[in-house]
């Protein structure tokens, strides 16, 4: 219902219909239980549908890294882009990039497995593979490119969570538990 962008605050809860923009020189991290979403600078993101079993997200431009720690058989994670839809099928580390003009998307699977649907069919993307979808729905597979500064930051955040001392005392899907380490 807001017509203008407003600054989000730390621990701001998101819900269906919310939109987020990370400005140039900024990044953000979102926790959805056992799913970590990290947005690169100049990224536009929306929550389409969200409940205990489904996370349906939209990436309009920019880059998003997704770490899925666990995924039950009845849970689904989908990232919609202007070029197609990405379904994450297993726990793993994924990246989705959309050009600023929105005319192409690239899905990179570092670990895990995804299905990319564009046009008339779905194409699997496995670990260390990438798939680019053009505006005309043409899909081009390739090997995953090297990590960049954004992904390196994401992987460092994952290591922080994975090595958290607090994890011994709380369930792994408790939101924010890794933040407790810095407070003793």
């Amino acid at each position: 219902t807001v017509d203008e962008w407003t600054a989000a605050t730390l621990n701001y809860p998101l819900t269906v219909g919310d939109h987020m923009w990370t400005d140039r020189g900024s990044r953000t991290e979102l926790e959805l239980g056992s799913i970590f979403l990290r947005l690169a600078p100049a990224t536009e993101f929306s929550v389409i549908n969200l409940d205990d079993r489904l996370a349906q997200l939209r990436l309009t431009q920019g880059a998003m890294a997704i770490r899925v720690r666990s995924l039950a058989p009845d849970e689904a994670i989908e990232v919609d882009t202007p070029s197609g839809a990405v379904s994450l099928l297993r726990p793993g580390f994924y990246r989705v990039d959309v050009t600023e003009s929105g005319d192409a998307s690239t899905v990179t699977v570092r670990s895990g497995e995804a299905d990319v649907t564009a046009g008339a069919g779905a194409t699997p993307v496995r670990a260390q593979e990438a798939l680019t979808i053009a505006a005309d729905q043409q899909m081009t597979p390739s090997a995953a490119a090297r990590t960049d500064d954004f992904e390196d930051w994401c992987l460092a955040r994952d290591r922080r969570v994975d090595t958290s001392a607090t994890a011994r005392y709380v369930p792994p899907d408790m939101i924010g538990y890794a933040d407790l380490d810095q407070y003793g």
Side-chain angles (χ1 to χ4, degrees), residues 56-165:
Q56 186 180 13
L57 314 165
R58 177 180 295 134
L59 184 65
T60 311
Q61 74 176 60
M64 175 171 48
I66 306 151
R67 165 81 186 282
V68 181
R69 293 180 55 143
S70 65
L71 189 63
D74 62 341
E75 294 177 324
I77 303 167
E78 180 178 290
V79 179
D80 296 333
T81 72
S83 306
V86 182
S87 297
L88 308 182
L89 305 177
R90 303 187 195 293
F93 185 82
Y94 305 87
R95 178 171 173 162
V96 181
D97 292 87
V98 176
T99 60
E100 188 173 339
S101 61
D103 61 355
S105 302
T106 301
V107 177
T108 304
V109 177
R110 297 286 177 200
S111 62
E113 185 177 355
D115 269 345
V116 177
T117 304
T123 300
V125 185
R126 293 182 177 80
Q128 298 306 314
E129 294 179 348
L131 184 71
T132 300
I133 311 109
D136 64 0
Q137 309 282 300
Q138 182 69 31
M139 293 191 238
T140 306
S142 64
R146 296 179 64 147
T147 63
D148 59 9
D149 289 341
F150 169 64
E151 258 186 87
D152 291 340
W153 174 76
C154 295
L155 293 168
R157 298 289 293 174
D158 284 343
R159 281 190 297 278
R160 179 180 150 265
V161 170
D162 292 342
T163 61
S164 169

Side-chain angles (χ1 to χ4, degrees), residues 37-57:
L37 304 173
R38 297 182 179 104
L39 306 178
T43 297
E44 186 175 354
F45 162 84
S46 306
V47 179
I48 298 172
N49 199 347
L50 184 63
D51 61 31
D52 291 340
R53 302 280 177 233
L54 172 67
Q56 186 180 13
L57 314 165

